[in-house]
Amino acid sequence: MSIGIFFGSDNGTTTDVCERLASKLGGADLVDVASASPDDIAKYNNIILASSTWGDGELQSDWESFADSLSGTSFAGKNVALLGLGDSDGYSETFCDALYHLKNAAKGANIVGATSTDGYEFDSSKGVENGKFVGLAIDEINQDDKTEERLDAWAKQLKSSGF
């Protein structure tokens, strides 16, 4: 069963992380939301939504309009995992808030892939529910030395969830 990784990237960091994750999952289709349509969601049963967090906790710019276009899209019966990138030092009050916005865009989905907040230092994140991130948080600015290990563990977790 194929996996669709829907991502937006302004400076290439999210693209790079998604390419690395796709390789660890044994392959996945990379779908840039800048040129995607809501109909593309229907092609996949296993979906990863990936965005960095910008400004005061907003989605990446291409995601802003794509998320709006998904308002009538059904994610029912689909496994969805969320990947957020952020800067825990420079934006400690909104670290990986993109996870929250991505979860809200995937209405009706079976959300999988929650991860521990252990090992991160930040003040606040809308992407945390019940003491865990609702997906995987990556900090390529301050903790890039932990990215590979986090991607490996998450890919294993997603595979055990049916990805």
Side-chain angles (χ1 to χ4, degrees):
M1 193 176 308
S2 65
I3 300 166
I5 301 178
F6 289 76
F7 72 97
S9 189
D10 283 334
N11 59 22
T13 304
T14 304
T15 304
D16 175 62
V17 170
C18 288
E19 287 171 347
R20 290 159 60 191
L21 177 60
S23 176
K24 292 175 185 306
L25 289 170
D29 295 337
L30 294 172
V31 183
D32 188 336
V33 298
S35 57
S37 80
D39 293 339
D40 293 326
I41 295 292
K43 298 175 185 174
Y44 304 97
N45 288 325
N46 294 308
I47 297 169
I48 297 168
L49 305 179
S51 177
S52 52
T53 302
W54 287 86
D56 292 326
E58 295 104 36
L59 287 168
Q60 182 268 345
S61 58
D62 296 323
W63 259 109
E64 290 287 342
S65 58
F66 188 66
D68 288 342
S69 74
L70 292 175
S71 64
T73 302
S74 173
F75 283 82
K78 297 185 182 298
N79 293 320
V80 174
L82 310 169
L83 173 63
L85 280 77
D87 175 351
S88 63
D89 186 38
Y91 295 91
S92 186
E93 295 290 328
T94 58
F95 180 62
C96 288
D97 277 3
L99 290 168
Y100 165 83
H101 299 294
L102 294 172
K103 183 179 180 192
N104 287 339
K107 291 184 178 25
N110 176 37
I111 303 292
V112 299
T115 59
S116 174
T117 58
D118 292 347
Y120 297 87
E121 292 184 27
F122 62 97
D123 291 322
S124 179
S125 176
K126 289 181 180 178
V128 174
E129 289 181 5
N130 302 315
K132 287 186 158 193
F133 288 113
V134 296
L136 177 63
I138 294 289
D139 185 345
E140 280 287 88
I141 295 167
N142 305 293
Q143 295 185 328
D144 60 320
D145 58 320
K146 297 182 179 183
T147 298
E148 214 57 37
E149 176 185 334
R150 287 174 174 160
L151 287 173
D152 284 339
W154 201 51
K156 184 177 179 181
Q157 180 183 350
L158 293 181
K159 287 178 182 179
S160 73
S161 297
F163 271 70

